[in-house]
Amino acid sequence: MEEQKKQIIKLSRNAALAKAEHYCAYQERSQQEARDKLYEWGLWKDDVEELISELIQTNFLNEERFAMAYVSGKFKIKKWGKVKIKQGLKIKRVPDKMIANVLKTIDADEYLKTILVLAEKKIGSIHEKDAYKRRYKLTTYLIGRGFENDLIADVLKSNDLA
C-alpha cells in the first residue's frame, strides 16, 4: 500500500513551468485545476501564483477559453443541461459573471431539441403504467441531466410526452 501512494517531488521553477505548460497545452484547464496540480507537484504558494500568472500571460491558461470548451463539450457531447454545467463550472471556481456569459452561447432551439430527444429516448425505457409516475420518472431523469424544471414541463406538454 505504501508504494502506491503518490510521491511528491519538489520541482525546480523552470521544470515546473515546462511541466505546467505541457499540462495546460494537452487540454483546456481552469486556473484552479492548474493551481491544484502545481500544489500536487510540491510547489509553494508564492511559486504557484507566480507560475499561474506566467501561464496566463503566455496564454497557456485562459479561463474564458476553458469555460467555452467546458460548456460546449458538456452540452454537445454529454447532453448536460445548464444547471449541471453551471455547477461544474462553479466547482472549477470559474467566476459567476463568466459562467453567465458562456451559458448564453448555448442555442435556445438546440437546447429545447436536446431536452425533447433525451425525453423521447428515455420514455421508451420507462415501463410504468401510471401516467403520473411515468411523467415523474421522466422529469426526474431530465432534472438529473441538469435541465430546468419549467423547460422540461413545457417540452413534455407541447410534445404530448408522459
Side-chain angles (χ1 to χ4, degrees):
M1 286 286 186
E2 290 298 317
E3 60 265 2
Q4 289 179 342
K5 287 185 179 176
K6 281 188 177 178
Q7 187 178 5
I8 297 175
I9 302 165
K10 181 82 168 120
L11 297 173
S12 72
R13 190 187 178 292
N14 289 340
L17 179 61
K19 201 169 177 180
E21 286 174 347
H22 177 73
Y23 178 71
C24 293
Y26 178 72
Q27 94 181 32
E28 292 296 337
R29 310 283 182 181
S30 70
Q31 289 180 25
Q32 192 58 43
E33 286 175 310
R35 191 173 281 114
D36 292 344
K37 189 56 80 172
L38 291 169
Y39 281 125
E40 190 179 300
W41 293 338
L43 279 93
W44 298 100
K45 186 178 186 344
D46 293 343
D47 293 335
V48 168
E49 294 309 318
E50 214 174 279
L51 288 174
I52 292 289
S53 293
E54 197 162 329
L55 289 169
I56 291 168
Q57 288 170 356
T58 56
N59 211 21
F60 278 97
L61 264 185
N62 183 324
E63 197 88 321
E64 189 172 0
R65 193 176 61 208
F66 163 77
M68 292 292 289
Y70 187 91
V71 167
S72 177
K74 298 303 182 193
F75 176 64
K76 291 181 180 162
I77 297 165
K78 295 224 178 203
K79 308 284 186 232
W80 283 9
K82 291 181 181 180
V83 175
K84 194 168 183 175
I85 293 170
K86 184 177 180 179
Q87 288 173 336
L89 287 170
K90 279 183 173 282
I91 289 169
K92 305 277 187 192
R93 296 198 185 151
V94 175
D96 289 340
K97 193 169 187 166
M98 191 178 294
I99 292 172
N101 289 338
V102 294
L103 286 176
K104 288 177 189 170
T105 63
I106 296 175
D107 181 57
D109 293 334
E110 193 177 337
Y111 193 71
L112 294 174
K113 186 179 175 193
T114 301
I115 295 173
L116 178 60
V117 169
L118 288 172
E120 288 173 339
K121 189 175 177 184
K122 183 66 177 175
I123 197 99
S125 67
I126 298 175
H127 306 293
E128 184 63 59
K129 302 287 182 236
D130 185 4
Y132 291 110
K133 288 183 181 177
R134 189 169 56 246
R135 183 182 180 88
Y136 173 76
K137 284 185 177 187
L138 186 57
T139 302
T140 303
Y141 167 75
L142 292 169
I143 288 171
R145 295 298 296 249
F147 295 98
E148 298 88 335
N149 204 356
D150 56 334
L151 291 178
I152 295 168
D154 291 346
V155 169
L156 296 182
K157 189 176 185 180
S158 63
N159 292 286
D160 292 327
L161 290 170

